[in-house]
Amino acid sequence: MIDVLVVDDDFRVAEINAKYVGKVPGFRVAARAHTAAQALAAVQRGSIDLVLLDHYLPDQTGLQLVHRMREQGHGTDVIMITAAGDVTTVQTAMRLGALHYLVKPFTFAALRSRLDSYAALRRTVDRVGGRGVAGQEQVDRIFGALRTTPAPPSPGLPSGHSEPTTDLICHVLHHADHPLSAHEVAAETGLSRSTAQRYLRHLEQAGRLRLSLKYGDTGRPEHRYAWVAP
């Protein structure tokens, strides 16, 4: 099994990413961290093969964490999973040895393709490593193992909808003890009210949520949504 450390300052996003990892054969979540200090401590304890790393952390950036790891001699592999899409951050991640860079929001298929290519890389290195010295053909195999094909769009999601955001909203409603309005869902998830409303409408039409109306003093009903158990 490949032991993974999931690092994200948002507890809900970390939980979603951990669930994604758990769906991929051969991978398991060994630990979660929400700060750079927690992540470094987990790496120092050992047994971590791969870090899924957010860049925006409260105490340090993800790249600063990778730099500290390398300074301390930790060669733990890193895949960046972050909303940071500027070229400078991407280039710095490459120079520090990040194997992949996945920009949020992303789909499960996109993450799985990176994890599958990482597993293929480890298998290739293990096979080639037994020979002691790698020729050009073996080197090409190692570098080629990291190539991925573009992930297809998630079936059933309208254009402009992402799987992580859908999962985040479903998680909030699944754990709510009463129906929530779009305003309440937006507050819980950090999304805008219009974005939350758009996702809620789709989930209700797909039969995953139940819509009810709550009438107030204004006479205009408030739409409230509740999780529908499968």
Side-chain angles (χ1 to χ4, degrees):
M1 296 292 287
I2 297 174
D3 288 321
V4 180
L5 169 63
V6 175
V7 184
D8 199 292
D9 67 317
D10 190 314
F11 285 71
R12 293 184 294 263
V13 173
E15 182 175 349
I16 291 172
N17 291 349
K19 287 181 178 178
Y20 280 176
V21 172
K23 292 181 180 179
V24 182
F27 290 82
R28 65 186 174 193
V29 177
R32 304 180 196 181
H34 308 290
T35 67
Q38 291 174 355
L40 183 60
V43 171
Q44 289 171 336
R45 287 193 295 269
S47 77
I48 300 297
D49 300 307
L50 174 67
V51 181
L52 299 185
L53 181 60
D54 187 18
H55 182 58
Y56 298 118
L57 299 173
D59 48 348
Q60 281 188 319
T61 67
L63 294 185
Q64 288 173 330
L65 170 60
V66 177
H67 184 69
R68 288 185 64 191
M69 288 167 51
R70 301 305 183 232
E71 280 187 332
Q72 295 183 13
H74 300 293
T76 311
D77 294 321
V78 174
I79 292 178
M80 298 296 297
I81 298 182
T82 177
D86 60 284
V87 175
T88 299
T89 302
V90 175
Q91 286 181 325
T92 304
M94 292 175 62
R95 289 164 182 159
L96 288 173
L99 297 179
H100 278 300
Y101 197 106
L102 196 55
V103 179
K104 297 177 180 177
F106 58 90
T107 64
F108 168 65
L111 177 59
R112 175 163 189 166
S113 71
R114 271 69 178 180
L115 294 180
D116 285 342
S117 71
Y118 174 72
L121 171 66
R122 288 172 63 96
R123 291 192 299 269
T124 302
V125 170
D126 288 343
R127 288 196 298 268
V128 174
R131 305 180 184 182
V133 178
Q136 187 62 54
E137 181 181 353
Q138 287 74 36
V139 170
D140 290 343
R141 287 181 186 173
I142 292 173
F143 277 87
L146 280 175
R147 294 179 186 147
T148 60
T149 56
S154 297
L157 284 182
S159 175
H161 286 60
S162 76
E163 196 168 318
T165 303
T166 300
D167 287 348
L168 178 59
I169 290 176
C170 288
H171 173 78
V172 168
L173 285 161
H174 181 64
H175 289 85
D177 56 7
H178 61 276
L180 300 178
S181 66
H183 177 76
E184 291 170 324
V185 171
E188 285 287 332
T189 59
L191 301 169
S192 68
R193 186 184 183 282
S194 60
T195 298
Q197 183 66 64
R198 181 159 48 89
Y199 277 82
L200 290 168
R201 188 179 301 113
H202 165 69
L203 290 168
E204 186 267 328
Q205 293 172 349
R208 300 176 68 180
L209 303 179
R210 181 178 65 254
L211 172 64
S212 60
L213 300 179
K214 180 181 179 181
Y215 289 87
D217 298 333
T218 62
R220 185 175 181 178
E222 180 183 52
H223 290 197
R224 302 184 71 82
Y225 299 87
W227 180 257
V228 177

